[in-house]
Amino acid sequence: MGAVLLRREKFVDGDGDLVESVLWQVRRSVAHPEGLRYRLAFVLAGTKTPAVLYDNHHPKGHHRHRGATQSVYPFSGVDQLVADFLSDVRGAKAERKEGNT
């Protein structure tokens, strides 16, 4: 079985920030025990590096990047993944506003 695209969404929000999410169903393996591969990215307007990035590429497995910080992500399902990503997006937007005051 090849990768099956489950979701692909990419848009620029009202603040000019880029939000992208891509999820694939893949064969269960050591690299992808849940049978899922994903990348969720948030890029602030005027920048090129994601302010928030969640992905699970091999060999790192589930992890997230928040600015320059990378940490293990405790994956528990797609719904929680999306909720946590959106929470970090709200945090990144709030930090930008705090920096502009």
Side-chain angles (χ1 to χ4, degrees):
M1 170 180 97
V4 176
L5 183 65
L6 299 175
R7 174 182 182 167
R8 180 180 302 262
E9 184 176 30
K10 183 176 182 179
F11 63 92
V12 175
D13 68 14
D15 294 324
D17 302 326
L18 176 69
V19 181
E20 181 178 24
S21 61
V22 186
L23 293 96
W24 299 270
Q25 180 181 6
V26 296
R27 184 180 313 259
R28 289 182 185 266
S29 66
V30 173
H32 299 100
E34 295 85 7
L36 181 72
R37 202 173 78 203
Y38 60 85
R39 181 183 74 250
L40 296 94
F42 173 71
V43 181
L44 291 165
T47 67
K48 294 185 180 191
T49 303
V52 178
L53 175 67
Y54 283 56
D55 63 321
N56 68 333
H57 65 79
H58 184 72
K60 292 183 180 181
H62 303 285
H63 64 285
R64 66 177 145 201
H65 306 257
R66 186 76 158 76
T69 303
Q70 180 177 305
S71 60
V72 172
Y73 176 70
F75 182 83
S76 62
V78 172
D79 291 341
Q80 190 62 53
L81 171 73
V82 172
D84 291 341
F85 171 72
L86 293 175
S87 177
D88 278 351
V89 166
R90 286 188 297 275
K93 285 179 169 283
E95 288 172 10
R96 174 182 52 201
K97 287 180 183 175
E98 290 170 7
N100 289 334
T101 56

